[in-house]
């Protein structure tokens, strides 16, 4: 390929259709967006060029509706090595090591084909992390399903869980945490958000920006098939000779190949051969080659006929837009091709030099020697559509007076009902299907603490990780909900004794063209921004998933927060299991008895109303820093933050996790007992301590509300005058719901 | 003691078992790539857990055909001890070093959980640090650990004392409650006739440190070291 | 009545198992093996004597449970 | 040449998948389903034109890899 040939207008392929307004519309480009394309190109595009614009300007790749808002998030801190803009965020965790992490959604594919959708979601996020040079050490997943009574829910739960396990287990990465909620708003649109955390030496982190004119562009991994090619574009049947074999297909994951790809990439990364590397995720070869060239300010020639193909008769359009899994694009240093080839062949993976870097700032695609696409790169990025969509904020609902909420008639029954409601019931049925122990570093397992805790191999350091969001709060008031999601993640890390460091987010919302939905997005971002700033908890990576609606009904706004923290000496960390008698149970933080949007209100009274509990970030910070210091001082045997279900649920969770009861007495003040026990006031923790007086006096000198409720011991959970239940009964109720539900037939 | 750990495409618990061996022996084991038909002399061969070849076709089937396994069979015949854990058990069984097969778990689901095991005998180089009848706690993590053998084979295994471990309840009852996968006779691990080959589904290598699942698996590695040095 | 059901992946859908089997066969000294696809083969005993009815019921079973029609095709055969 | 191989469990060998499928079908409203056995169905492309040779090679593939003859039977069919 000569530079002269690059100047030629592209040739049209045999059978290539005329670009009609209908084809443009099928590519999801609005008329004004197509005008913009014509201006950039100065001519009618070829099909493959149209496909590329369509992919790059899609909501998924361009963030056209969300970008203006995402810019507001705080992304900096002294420990941030790489914030948003790369495949994953990178933070410094000391000792020359970095934690690299990100969360990503696979909502729609998981609804269509739950097993493969969820599995490929895990595969995708793993690649985002190891493409930066990290060995993944943990996975988490945040799942939202529809009402359990909806006819599809059981099938979706079963497929999604099997898919996440199927992929992560085979990869040998422990899946150590996550969350699972159920709500009718997700009936037609479930959420599957997957997060991966990896570790790399700080001086061996790999980026996507290409460099070095003439350097070879290398394709590695699996062959390219017709997986996941944009459905709409396939309706142009005249484009294909054999339409049956060309129908768009569901992406199927191959975790075995991904495991080989991981090992091969890490082996190559240990040499000096790599200039830049980028996984092929959404929009496959298109977005990966584009991003590498754009970030490096270069051009690229791709010889598409050199791409390893799984099927016969594939054309340039399909090759550029395929979302086949388990593939990577690498820019090598000149002359390193053979070294790299040997590594990938050892791991039985495809390897092909498919192009090289140029200084033209153009993407030139060739097909058996002919230019079939030729696009200027900078304008496609700089002139990408960006929308300031109209937005209206959700007003704060009136505060619900606890006295307007009835107390339970039977306290014991109310606790059992809450502990076995779908949102609070044990998710052991799920996480027992995930290998959460492989690698031998899982110090806090699922259900044993507020965050998972994983040792960083070779030392005493631990990483705490969690994923959180309370969509019902976000729905009621997005700003509060955004603040709360960040605060809860921060609290969960804190409750293990670790220091929270940074956040990845997954913004799942409805149709952004509706002002009230855009307002939810805006509000959530505002709340998150405030919380991340006050808590020194920057956002380093994330993902946006919009249009989560069915028949005009949007999901609950769900800005999932994934978070990571570090503890220097893992031996100092604590879980939430109550395993000893005679420990003092100290409640840290103030209890006003906030029942608005509480689970008690929803589950016991069938009401979803009121303002969600306010989040005072200064108090969050003060109380959390206090708790962490108590853990560090060795005064704490177990710690649990209070969230869904409030104090009584928190106590019950500590008891059943450790198999030890408690006997407590409430110091109610003027708070009604049901509000005290079920209210969801924020910034609160339960601490179990062998030296409760020391904790109390430390709290007093710090000016932090703290009260000794009682002591651990015995076989029952006892709240004087109100609750008295054997731990075994609570556990039975807690553990029975999900397996019983999953084993039932509709 | 010199140990070799085999690595197949898709192995993934080789690091875990290396960590355990290193902790007990103070010495890094050698990793042997599946294509190496000839590897240096060792006192112990470990076939680790994982998903060799993705567990496709049948667990362990493709790995069992690799050059390295041909060599393992030769050495096992000479009496070199072989320890197959989880996928390693499946591979060793497919290779014919142990009788029977590992089928899909009864409920068809992957299971990762602590289980209790009853040690059937202390008369082997793998179990000499345990007492016969002792109950230990170690994790399992597999989708196909449902041991099956025909009646005749099973009788032979039982009669000759070739059962190494059985799933049991925390208080040692060998009944349905402690069986995570439907294994026949609650079998969790078996020996060959000379007790120089052990295959087991549970992961003793993930139970060697107090903070990380307890220490009940450590004695297995200590016992091997003691017997072999 | 006895029935046999074949469940196979649709054309174009990646078959990781088939791929790995093909690879292994090549390596084991069978270079003549090209593409390999793996499917399921399910044999069922049915307490039903009417062939048409049996076929209709089997079709329902396939759609409900035996096949994942998003990515798989199925075929039904009645024997004896 | 194309070949089809069926691999099925021998009589008397436990079939957890078949059992689970049968169970599920019964519960899903198919009480007429009795015993269910699940096997594998493997389709292979072969660069071999001689049927007898192909069959012999396939037999070898089955014994070496495709079936575990301790617990499984196999059958070979040549097509086109
Ligand atoms: N909600 C968000 N908050 C912060 N950063 C985001 C958010 N969404 C996306 N990003 C960042 O934008 C970049 C592109 O994201 P994405 O397209 O999802 O990555 P990929 O191409 O790896 O799938 C990433 O660096 C990601 O971290
Ligand atoms: Mg990426």
């Amino acid at each position: 390929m000569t530079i002269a040939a690059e100047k030629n207008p592209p040739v049209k392929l045999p059978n290539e259709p005329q670009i009609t307004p209908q084809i443009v519309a099928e590519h999801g480009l609005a008329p004004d967006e197509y005008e913009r394309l014509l201006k950039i190109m100065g001519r009618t595009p070829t099909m493959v060029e149209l496909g590329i614009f369509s992919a790059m300007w899609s909501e998924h790749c361009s963030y056209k509706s969300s970008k203006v808002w995402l810019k507001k998030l705080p992304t900096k801190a002294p420990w941030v090595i790489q914030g948003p803009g790369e495949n994953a965020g990178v933070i410094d965790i000391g000792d020359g090591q970095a934690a690299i992490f990100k969360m990503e959604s696979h909502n729609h594919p998981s609804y269509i084909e739950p097993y493969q959708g969820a599995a490929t979601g895990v595969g995708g996020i793993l690649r985002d992390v190891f493409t930066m040079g990290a060995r993944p050490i943990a996975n988490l997943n945040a799942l939202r399903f529809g009402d359990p009574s909806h006819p599809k829910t059981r099938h979706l739960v079963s497929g999604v869980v099997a898919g996440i396990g199927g992929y992560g287990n085979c990869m040998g990465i422990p899946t150590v945490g996550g969350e699972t909620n159920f709500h009718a708003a997700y009936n037609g649109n479930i959420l599957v958000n997957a997060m991966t955390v990896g570790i790399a030496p700080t001086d061996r982190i790999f980026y996507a920006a290409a460099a070095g004119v003439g350097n070879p562009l290398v394709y590695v991994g699996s062959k390219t098939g017709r997986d996941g090619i944009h459905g709409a574009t396939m309706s142009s049947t005249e484009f294909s000779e054999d339409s049956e074999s060309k129908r768009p297909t569901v992406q199927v994951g191959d975790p075995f190949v991904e495991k080989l790809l991981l090992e091969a990439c890490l082996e190559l990364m240990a040499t000096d051969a790599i200039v830049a590397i980028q996984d092929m995720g959404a929009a496959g070869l298109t977005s990966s080659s584009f991003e590498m060239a754009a970030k490096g300010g270069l051009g690229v020639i791709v010889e598409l006929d050199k791409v390893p193909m799984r099927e016969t008769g594939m054309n340039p359009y399909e090759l550029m837009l395929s979302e086949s899994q388990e593939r990577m694009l690498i820019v090598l240093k000149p002359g390193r091709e053979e070294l790299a080839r040997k590594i990938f062949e050892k791991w039985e993976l495809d390897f092909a030099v498919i192009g090289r870097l140029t200084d033209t700032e153009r993407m030139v695609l060739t097909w058996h020697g002919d230019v079939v696409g030729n696009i200027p790169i900078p304008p496609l990025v700089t002139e990408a559509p960006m929308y300031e969509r109209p937005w209206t904020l959700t007003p704060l609902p009136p505060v619900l007076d606890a006295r307007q909420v009835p107390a339970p008639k039977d306290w014991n029954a109310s606790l059992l009902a809450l502990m076995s409601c779908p949102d609070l019931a044990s998710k052991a049925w799920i996480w027992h299907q995930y290998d959460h122990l492989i690698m031998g570093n899982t110090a806090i397992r699922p259900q044993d603490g507020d965050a998972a805790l994983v040792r960083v191999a070779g030392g005493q350091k631990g990483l705490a990780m969690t994923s959180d969001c309370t969509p019902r709060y976000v729905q009621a008031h997005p700003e509060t909900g955004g603040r709360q999601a960040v605060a809860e993640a921060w609290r969960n890390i804190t409750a293990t004794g670790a220091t929270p460091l940074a956040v990845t987010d997954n913004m799942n919302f409805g149709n952004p063209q509706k002002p009230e939905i855009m307002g939810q997005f805006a509000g959530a971002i505002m709340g998150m921004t405030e919380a991340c700033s006050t808590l020194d908890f920057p956002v380093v990576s994330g993902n946006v998933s919009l249009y989560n609606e069915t028949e005009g009904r949007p999901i609950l706004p769900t800005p999932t927060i994934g978070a990571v923290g570090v503890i220097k000496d893992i031996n100092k960390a604590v879980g939430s299991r109550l395993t000893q008698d005679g420990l003092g149970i100290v409640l840290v933080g103030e209890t006003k008895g906030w029942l608005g949007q509480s689970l008690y209100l929803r589950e016991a009274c069938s009401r979803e109303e009121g303002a969600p509990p306010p989040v005072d970030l200064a108090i969050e910070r003060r109380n959390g820093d206090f708790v962490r210091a108590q853990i560090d001082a060795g005064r704490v045997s177990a710690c649990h933050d209070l969230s869904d279900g409030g104090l009584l649920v928190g106590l019950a969770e500590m008891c059943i996790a450790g198999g030890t009861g408690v006997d407590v007495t409430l110091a109610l003040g003027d708070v009604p007992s049901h509000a005290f026990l079920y209210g969801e006031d924020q910034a609160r923790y339960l601490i179990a301590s062998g030296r409760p007086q020391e904790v109390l006096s430390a709290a007093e000198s710090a000016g932090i509300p703290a009260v000794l409720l009682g002591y651990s011991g015995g076989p029952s959970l006892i709240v004087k005058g109100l609750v008295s239940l054997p731990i075994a009964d609570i556990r039975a109720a807690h553990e029975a719901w999900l397996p019983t539900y999953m084993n039932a037939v509709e | 003691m010199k140990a070799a750990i085999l690595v197949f495409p898709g192995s993934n618990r080789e690091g875990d078992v290396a960590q355990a061996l290193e902790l007990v022996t103070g010495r890094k084991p050698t990793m042997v790539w599946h294509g190496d038909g000839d590897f240096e002399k060792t006192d112990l061969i470990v076939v680790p857990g994982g998903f060799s070849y993705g567990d496709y076709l049948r667990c362990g089937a493709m790995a069992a055909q690799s050059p390295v396994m041909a060599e393992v069979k030769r050495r096992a015949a000479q009496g070199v001890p072989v320890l197959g854990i989880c996928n390693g058990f499946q591979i060793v069984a497919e290779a014919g070093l142990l009788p029977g097969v590992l089928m899909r778990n009864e409920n068809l689901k992957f299971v990762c959980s602590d289980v209790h095991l009853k040690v059937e005998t202390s008369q082997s180089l793998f179990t000499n640090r345990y007492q016969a009848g002792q109950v230990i706690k170690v994790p399992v993590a597999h989708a196909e650990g449902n041991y099956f053998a025909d009646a005749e084979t099973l009788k032979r295994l039982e009669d000759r004392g070739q059962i190494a471990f059985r799933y049991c309840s925390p208080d040692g009852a060998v009944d349905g409650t402690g069986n995570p996968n439907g294994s026949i006779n609650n079998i969790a691990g078996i020996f060959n006739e000379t007790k120089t080959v052990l295959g087991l589904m549970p992961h003793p290598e993930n139970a060697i440190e107090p903070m990380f699942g307890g220490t009940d698996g450590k004695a297995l590695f200590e016992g091997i070291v003691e017997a072999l040095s | 009545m006895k029935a046999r059901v074949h469940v196979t992946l649709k054309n174009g859908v990646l078959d990781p198992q088939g791929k790995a089997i093909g690879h292994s066969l090549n390596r084991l000294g069978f270079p003549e093996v090209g593409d390999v696809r793996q499917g399921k083969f399910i044999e069922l005993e049915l307490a039903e004597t009417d062939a048409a009815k049996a076929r209709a019921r089997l079709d329902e079973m396939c759609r409900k449970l035996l096949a994942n029609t998003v990515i798989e095709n199925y075929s039904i055969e009645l024997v004896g």
Side-chain angles (χ1 to χ4, degrees), chain A, chain B, chain C:
Chain A
M1 175 58 44
T2 62
I3 296 297
E6 281 191 32
K7 301 239 163 64
N8 296 340
V11 300
K12 272 184 71 171
L13 292 167
N15 298 324
E16 187 166 338
Q18 291 295 332
I19 306 289
T20 61
Q22 191 198 338
I23 287 184
V24 170
E26 282 168 356
H27 278 77
L29 287 171
D32 60 317
E33 291 176 347
Y34 186 62
E35 283 307 313
R36 209 185 277 223
L37 176 162
L38 289 177
K39 203 136 105 230
I40 292 173
M41 295 298 289
R43 59 174 166 80
T44 304
T46 60
M47 270 302 278
V48 61
E49 289 170 339
L50 179 68
I52 289 170
F53 271 89
S54 146
M56 292 304 294
W57 285 0
S58 69
E59 191 65 63
H60 190 93
C61 291
S62 73
Y63 291 88
K64 57 191 170 191
S65 303
S66 58
K67 212 172 205 156
V68 292
W69 286 103
L70 294 178
K71 281 189 195 146
K72 301 185 191 291
L73 291 169
T75 60
K76 294 202 167 59
W79 52 88
V80 174
I81 295 175
Q82 175 67 55
E86 274 286 337
N87 285 304
V90 184
I91 57 172
D92 194 329
I93 54 167
D95 311 314
Q97 289 171 316
I100 301 188
F101 62 100
K102 190 178 173 207
M103 190 185 289
E104 200 153 76
S105 64
H106 233 209
N107 303 337
H108 190 62
S110 302
Y111 186 77
I112 303 293
E113 208 315 272
Y115 185 97
Q116 294 298 342
T120 51
V122 173
I125 192 63
L126 280 165
R127 280 193 299 285
D128 269 339
V129 167
F130 74 74
T131 196
M132 297 200 68
R135 180 173 283 280
I137 62 161
N139 284 329
L140 292 92
N141 58 105
L143 311 177
R144 322 273 164 190
F145 296 105
D147 192 315
S149 67
H150 188 272
K152 275 200 135 157
T153 302
R154 190 176 285 106
H155 162 75
L156 290 167
V157 175
S158 142
V160 164
V161 170
I164 290 174
Y167 210 100
N169 297 345
C170 181
M171 285 293 289
I173 317 294
T175 302
V176 296
E179 42 177 349
T180 311
N181 291 157
F182 297 85
H183 193 281
Y186 304 105
N187 279 352
N189 202 315
I190 62 172
L191 301 183
V192 175
N193 296 172
M195 170 170 164
T196 294
V197 182
I199 299 286
T202 46
D203 58 357
R204 302 229 32 105
I205 293 166
F206 292 82
Y207 296 96
V213 172
N215 280 348
L217 186 69
V218 167
Y219 170 116
V220 300
S222 274
K223 291 181 171 40
T224 298
R226 293 188 175 94
D227 314 272
I229 296 170
H230 213 244
T233 50
M234 296 310 293
S235 56
S236 45
T237 43
E238 61 275 39
F239 195 36
S240 79
E241 300 108 272
D242 171 13
S243 53
E244 173 50 26
S245 73
K246 289 194 175 181
R247 49 196 304 286
T249 51
V250 170
Q251 305 158 39
V252 169
D254 187 345
F256 168 57
V257 165
E258 177 118 323
K259 168 71 173 160
L260 304 182
L261 189 60
L262 164 68
E263 299 302 337
C265 285
L266 291 178
E267 194 171 323
L268 182 64
M269 283 162 170
T271 73
D272 67 343
I274 297 177
V275 174
I277 176 165
Q278 165 77 39
D279 66 297
M280 293 191 222
L285 196 48
T286 292
S287 67
S288 53
S289 55
F290 231 97
E291 276 167 29
M292 290 178 96
K295 282 181 178 157
L298 294 176
V300 63
I301 291 185
V302 184
E303 297 174 69
L304 286 171
D305 45 291
K306 301 253 171 77
V307 171
M309 291 170 230
R310 196 174 80 221
E311 298 175 57
T312 53
M314 291 191 70
N315 62 40
Y317 179 96
E318 293 167 329
L319 290 166
M320 285 305 285
L321 292 175
S322 161
E323 293 190 349
S324 288
Q325 301 290 299
E326 293 95 22
R327 303 179 300 162
M328 291 271 191
L329 204 55
I330 306 176
V331 176
L332 289 176
K333 288 188 184 155
R336 298 294 201 284
E337 293 92 325
E338 282 321 301
L339 168 89
R341 183 188 299 277
K342 279 216 182 73
I343 291 174
F344 284 92
E345 281 175 357
K346 168 185 160 194
W347 290 99
E348 301 177 13
L349 295 163
D350 273 287
F351 176 99
V353 178
I354 61 164
R356 62 189 161 79
L357 300 178
T358 66
D359 60 3
T360 61
E361 295 195 77
R362 297 185 78 85
M363 170 183 270
V364 175
L365 307 174
T366 69
W367 183 243
H368 300 289
D370 291 328
V371 172
V372 293
N374 187 340
I375 302 177
I377 292 171
L380 198 134
V381 177
T382 55
E383 279 162 56
M386 180 142 92
Y387 299 120
E388 291 209 40
R389 300 206 186 270
W391 48 284
T392 49
L393 287 179
T394 311
L396 187 67
V399 174
L400 183 70
D401 182 347
R403 273 158 257 272
Q404 290 167 10
V405 179
K409 290 197 187 69
D410 176 343
W411 274 95
N412 288 345
S414 80
L415 177 58
L416 290 177
L418 214 50
M419 291 300 287
S420 60
C421 82
D423 276 358
L424 284 183
S426 165
K427 304 303 181 307
W429 183 90
I430 294 175
W431 54 257
H432 278 309
Q433 294 184 55
Y434 301 153
D435 191 336
H436 49 278
L437 302 175
I438 189 163
M439 291 183 163
N441 292 315
T442 309
I444 299 183
R445 303 179 181 189
Q447 221 161 289
D448 289 350
D450 285 315
L453 188 66
V454 177
R455 174 176 57 185
V456 179
Q460 289 302 305
K461 196 166 46 191
L463 285 188
M465 39 194 108
T466 180
S467 117
D468 293 282
C469 182
T470 314
R472 63 180 189 278
Y473 295 171
V474 191
Q475 167 87 2
H477 189 240
E479 288 148 272
T480 305
R483 234 180 267 136
Q484 195 275 341
V486 173
E488 186 173 345
W490 189 85
R491 228 156 42 215
N492 282 339
I493 304 258
T494 294
T496 66
T499 305
L501 289 180
V503 158
T504 181
D505 65 57
N506 206 140
M507 309 291 287
N508 307 276
F509 288 77
N511 180 352
Q513 298 178 37
K514 296 182 183 166
E516 67 278 13
I517 299 287
M518 207 53 225
Q520 291 175 338
F521 192 91
I525 292 274
M526 291 175 198
M528 288 163 58
T529 300
E530 246 183 83
C532 290
S533 314
T534 311
L535 300 173
D536 274 327
F537 207 25
V539 176
V540 296
S541 59
N543 176 247
V544 176
S545 170
L546 300 175
Y547 300 98
N548 290 291
E549 300 204 350
T550 10
E551 286 154 20
R553 280 194 306 278
I555 59 162
L556 299 184
T558 311
T560 312
I561 303 296
V564 172
V566 71
I567 186 164
K568 278 215 184 72
D569 180 0
I570 203 163
N571 296 298
K572 286 192 165 181
V574 299
S576 57
R577 304 172 64 219
L578 211 51
T579 54
Q580 287 170 55
D581 291 356
L583 298 174
I585 308 295
V586 178
L587 170 63
V588 176
E590 192 184 7
T591 303
K592 288 184 179 157
W594 195 278
L595 286 176
Q597 297 299 340
S598 65
L599 268 191
Y600 174 75
L601 188 68
R602 191 181 85 190
E603 296 297 324
C605 315
S606 307
R607 289 159 62 183
E608 297 181 56
E609 60 180 83
V615 180
D616 184 323
L617 293 161
I619 291 178
E620 282 288 354
R621 171 136 210 172
R622 187 195 68 185
N623 293 3
D625 289 348
F626 169 77
V627 166
R628 199 178 314 109
Q630 297 309 301
I631 296 171
D632 187 59
R635 294 192 185 115
V636 179
S637 302
C639 179
H640 190 19
D641 89 306
L642 294 185
S643 52
D644 276 346
L647 174 60
L648 189 53
V649 165
L651 271 174
E653 287 170 344
M654 291 180 83
C655 290
I656 57 184
T660 306
V662 289
D663 190 339
V664 304
T665 308
L666 298 182
L668 286 172
D670 53 3
V671 180
S673 46
H674 65 293
F676 199 96
L677 282 170
Y678 288 131
E680 297 182 1
D681 306 71
Q682 300 291 298
R684 294 186 303 159
Y685 302 80
L686 280 173
I687 284 178
S689 171
R691 291 176 275 157
Q693 293 309 330
E694 290 177 29
V695 176
L696 291 175
S697 60
E700 194 178 344
S701 33
I704 288 171
V707 47
L708 180 64
L709 298 175
Y711 289 87
S712 66
S716 299
L717 188 167
I718 297 167
V719 181
K720 281 257 159 29
L722 297 173
V723 184
S724 175
L725 270 173
I727 300 304
D729 293 4
I730 309 179
R731 179 186 287 141
H734 184 59
E735 288 181 353
W737 181 78
L738 188 52
T740 307
Y741 169 70
M742 291 307 297
N743 289 332
V745 201
E746 56 266 35
Chain B
M1 188 199 73
K2 267 171 86 173
I5 301 176
L6 310 188
V7 184
F8 299 94
S11 294
N12 64 22
R13 256 187 171 88
E14 72 275 21
D16 301 46
V17 76
Q19 199 170 305
L21 280 166
E22 198 181 337
L23 196 94
V24 170
T25 63
R27 176 169 181 173
K28 273 198 178 4
T30 316
M31 306 308 255
V32 177
W33 186 238
H34 68 113
D36 298 347
D38 191 24
F39 55 96
E40 75 180 79
K41 261 188 81 173
T42 57
D43 305 311
L44 171 73
I45 298 169
V46 181
V47 194
F51 287 68
S52 59
Y53 296 94
D55 272 2
Y56 299 146
L57 188 65
R58 289 185 316 279
C59 296
M62 296 187 213
Q65 301 297 331
S66 59
V68 82
M69 281 309 292
E71 179 62 18
V72 170
K73 282 198 245 182
R74 272 190 292 279
R75 295 200 193 176
Q78 296 160 5
V80 177
V82 178
L83 171 62
I85 307 174
C86 197
N87 189 224
F89 184 9
Q90 295 158 345
I91 293 170
V92 166
E94 274 281 343
L97 285 170
L98 290 172
V101 287
L102 294 139
M103 314 284 282
R104 280 288 289 274
N105 294 351
E106 200 171 35
N107 70 358
L108 306 188
K109 290 186 175 56
F110 188 95
V111 56
C112 175
S113 179
D114 280 335
V115 297
H116 291 90
L117 301 179
K118 190 164 187 182
V119 181
E120 289 291 305
T121 172
S122 61
Q123 303 298 306
S124 82
L125 70 105
F126 300 101
T127 54
N128 62 68
R129 281 285 186 104
Y130 296 110
Q131 311 284 319
Q134 186 181 343
V135 175
I136 60 172
K137 188 180 81 173
V138 290
V140 290
H142 60 249
E144 313 196 27
N146 184 352
Y147 183 77
F148 178 84
D150 59 50
E152 197 184 311
T153 309
L154 202 60
K155 183 165 184 320
R156 206 171 54 233
L157 287 173
E158 295 280 4
D159 290 351
R160 298 186 186 173
Q162 284 176 247
I163 314 294
F165 301 100
R166 285 185 220 270
Y167 301 110
C168 65
S169 67
D171 52 13
V174 177
D175 55 22
T177 52
N179 187 336
N181 53 31
S183 257
I184 198 158
N185 292 9
N186 277 33
I187 289 173
I190 56 169
F191 300 113
N192 65 344
E193 284 184 34
T194 54
K195 295 196 185 154
T196 51
V197 178
L198 168 64
L200 78 169
M201 287 313 294
H203 292 286
E205 76 275 27
N206 287 135
I208 49 164
E209 293 179 87
M211 257 200 107
F212 304 90
T215 53
D216 284 2
K218 200 171 171 189
L220 185 131
F221 297 98
E222 288 168 342
I224 299 172
V225 172
E226 191 170 282
L228 296 183
S229 44
Chain C
M1 179 170 296
K2 238 185 154 153
R4 287 189 193 146
V5 173
H6 282 88
V7 180
T8 51
L9 282 169
K10 289 184 179 169
N11 265 343
V13 174
L14 174 71
D15 177 7
Q17 305 215 52
K19 205 170 82 180
I21 294 171
H23 238 90
S24 270
L25 286 172
N26 292 157
R27 224 188 357 241
L28 282 175
F30 302 99
E32 71 267 43
V33 175
D35 214 31
V36 177
R37 307 278 286 172
Q38 175 169 332
K40 283 178 214 142
F41 169 60
I42 304 163
E43 295 173 288
L44 308 96
E45 299 275 1
L46 290 185
E48 170 64 73
T49 47
D50 182 292
K53 272 193 203 147
R55 196 171 281 279
R57 293 286 283 173
L58 283 161
D59 198 69
E60 210 185 322
M61 293 180 213
C62 285
R63 280 181 289 107
K64 265 206 167 149
L65 184 76
L66 302 180
N68 175 352
T69 52
V70 179
I71 52 173
E72 292 172 330
N73 293 322
Y74 61 87
S75 72
I76 296 167
E77 196 184 332
L78 294 176
V79 263

